[in-house]
Amino acid sequence: MRKIVINGGRPLKGSVTISGAKNSVVALIPAIILADGIVSLDGVPDISDVDSLIDIMETMGATVKRSGDSLEIDPRGVKDMPMPFGKINSLRASYYFYGSLLGRFGQAIVGLPGGCDLGPRPIDLHLKAFEAMGATMTYEGQNMHLSTNGKRIHGAHIFMDTVSVGATINTMLAAVKAKGRTVIENAAREPEIIDVATLLNNMGAHVRGAGTEVITIEGVDKLHGTRHQVIPDRIEAGTYIALAAAVGEGIRIDNVLYEHLEGFIAKLEAMGVRMTVSEDSIFVEKQDKLKAVSVKTSPYPGFATDLQQPITPLLLKAEGTGTITDTIYEKRVGHVQELANMGADIRVLGSRISYQGPSKLNGTHVKATDLRAGAAMVIAGLMAEGQTEITNIEFILRGYSNIIEKLKDLGADIELIDGAE
Ligand code: EPZ
């Protein structure tokens, strides 16, 4: 089983360059199915989610050329066929194929794990939007069959009961080639939504209002090829900023858009983290005394749920007590027990996490319980005295490109062990 081994307690310094946004590119790649020409993406992160999506696209008939951080995708060979169940199961964001296949073919046949179980992270808002646009949903064994029964998908006025990044993007994908107008109210406002809308508009779509809570889409008949630069990954950036504040002795983080991280940076400043923000980089100085604060996540532009786990080890360095409340995923607490096993004074109390700092962390065996929890364990391992072994690291490699190399370049004593045991 592969693991990451860290000998902690060393100061890190230097610079790190942030890659393209995972939560943008997992939608941009399926969106390309809607084009009648070649689409190239630049700034694509080197993560396993991208490998999985390329695999699915090629299985469906697209041709994909990858060179460095660029992808050139020709979707014209994509066939109207059931999606390869085994592969789509590898990542949640494969649901974006529903919207783009509906938009292109008027149907999407997708395997679901164990019948129609929508799992702990439901997709009811996606399906409600597709039904409003004329798609019917039937189940054939392990497959969910979304179909407009031969008619062209049509626009609709959709109010999202919950602010949802996935449902907002998926509805845009289905709407850009629909007949007529689609209005999405109570839309999510994340930067990744703007990035997808930018790609679609550069392909010839008419999407207005992305980044606000009302998005209007006028359907068009055809979408052409284009070239697109993926926005920087604000969650990877926030992770390295927290790491720099926790164990850095002066680290510059490059390819960061400050405006994508205002809620997060405001929280770090409240702790006393000293940073210098310039146009597309942030310099984080070595920190001395830090003040404990409380964190409450909310949809963008609030404090991102994806950053509550990576900031937690830094909070543990601070003087005082605080709480962390994730209003989006209440159960996103897998890292708490792992940190407690390292000696942290942290616990889950009802629907929130409570901590007392400063906690001295000691290296031990820990596991990544999900992607961002895994990032928290890497930071904790760099902070801890002694050796930390992290297992279940596939989670981490899904969302953090070249993390071992990036940390080694900063002076970390870190290895990825391919151990057979
Ligand atoms: C996206 O997930 C991100 N993933 C998540 O990042 C991120 O945590 C989340 O948005 C934040 O909102 C990608 O972009 C690939 P949602 P998504 O729909 O779209 C509920 C990471 O670490 N909901 O915005 O799946 C849902 O249960 C990942 O990179 C419904 O009830 O999240 C949640 O409570 C983790 N019904 C809330 O809405 C639905 O149909 C927000 O979820 C859809 C969502």
Side-chain angles (χ1 to χ4, degrees), residues 127-249:
L127 301 176
K128 189 173 148 235
F130 296 149
E131 285 175 318
M133 298 169 79
T136 53
M137 196 168 47
T138 52
Y139 292 96
E140 292 139 19
Q142 282 273 323
N143 282 342
M144 171 175 72
H145 189 169
L146 277 166
S147 171
T148 56
N149 307 308
K151 293 194 292 297
R152 186 175 170 189
I153 199 163
H154 60 72
H157 195 124
I158 293 154
F159 184 87
M160 294 287 176
D161 303 338
T162 311
V163 173
S164 159
V165 172
T168 300
I169 292 177
N170 229 346
T171 304
M172 280 197 316
L173 297 180
V176 287
K177 290 183 77 176
K179 185 172 181 313
R181 167 180 296 183
T182 299
V183 178
I184 306 171
E185 296 216 40
N186 199 25
R189 297 159 51 192
E190 273 69 1
E192 292 74 28
I193 290 162
I194 300 173
D195 203 31
V196 174
T198 304
L199 170 68
L200 293 171
N201 285 339
N202 290 339
M203 286 161 57
H206 293 168
V207 181
R208 279 179 295 115
T212 74
E213 55 205 30
V214 181
I215 301 176
T216 304
I217 302 126
E218 302 294 346
V220 296
D221 295 335
K222 266 177 83 66
L223 293 174
H224 51 73
T226 187
R227 186 167 201 110
H228 179 81
Q229 175 75 38
V230 182
I231 56 168
D233 191 319
R234 61 192 169 95
I235 307 302
E236 184 194 18
T239 304
Y240 281 95
I241 292 169
L243 179 152
V247 295
E249 286 204 332

Side-chain angles (χ1 to χ4, degrees), residues 220-300:
V220 296
D221 295 335
K222 266 177 83 66
L223 293 174
H224 51 73
T226 187
R227 186 167 201 110
H228 179 81
Q229 175 75 38
V230 182
I231 56 168
D233 191 319
R234 61 192 169 95
I235 307 302
E236 184 194 18
T239 304
Y240 281 95
I241 292 169
L243 179 152
V247 295
E249 286 204 332
I251 292 180
R252 197 184 70 241
I253 294 109
D254 293 325
N255 196 29
V256 184
L257 293 179
Y258 167 77
E259 60 271 25
H260 287 174
L261 282 163
E262 287 183 272
F264 176 73
I265 287 172
K267 195 54 77 176
L268 292 177
E269 285 169 343
M271 292 180 72
V273 173
R274 292 192 311 284
M275 294 166 279
T276 310
V277 177
S278 48
E279 196 189 321
D280 63 354
S281 74
I282 292 183
F283 180 74
V284 183
E285 299 174 39
K286 178 175 169 26
Q287 309 299 321
D288 31 7
K289 282 228 175 304
L290 292 174
K291 192 166 91 49
V293 295
S294 288
V295 169
K296 187 170 186 176
T297 69
S298 60
Y300 191 85

